[in-house]
Amino acid sequence: MNPTTIIEAIERHARERPDAVAITVPGDGGREDLSFTFSDVLERSRRITADMQRAVPEAKRVMILQAPGIDFALSLCACFIAGVAAVPTPPPAAP
């Protein structure tokens, strides 16, 4: 059976290849790149989903106020899992 959603694809990969790299985030300022497996992505996204549903159980839309990166990607997956519309919004510029 072919997955029909992004989350179904991540769940399938987490089952079949849990240790395969799903996302690699380039390191800043000489730091090493960070890699996250499909299992990591699914587990972390589900934790964010649970926190979000506790904080705003009736939400239909959720603003993602994060810069591009792993936290943004995980928050977006959490919205997909929760079945809410993600509203990506860039964080305000530092003064």
Side-chain angles (χ1 to χ4, degrees):
M1 178 163 92
N2 289 328
T4 58
T5 68
I6 291 171
I7 295 305
E8 287 176 0
I10 292 170
E11 289 172 337
R12 178 177 169 186
H13 285 295
R15 258 191 330 273
E16 295 175 2
R17 311 175 331 153
D19 296 328
V21 174
I23 300 173
T24 298
V25 180
D28 295 345
R31 288 192 261 171
E32 288 188 36
D33 293 351
L34 293 174
S35 292
F36 297 85
T37 66
F38 284 101
S39 182
D40 291 334
V41 169
L42 188 58
E43 178 185 329
R44 290 168 184 245
S45 297
R46 285 180 173 164
R47 266 192 264 143
I48 295 168
T49 301
D51 291 344
M52 185 173 48
Q53 289 175 329
R54 269 192 300 278
V56 285
E58 302 298 320
K60 298 205 184 320
R61 293 176 300 281
V62 174
M63 182 184 297
I64 301 176
L65 188 64
Q66 294 172 324
I70 189 64
D71 292 332
F72 175 85
L74 295 174
S75 296
L76 186 60
C77 287
C79 288
F80 294 156
I81 291 169
V84 300
V87 182
T89 307

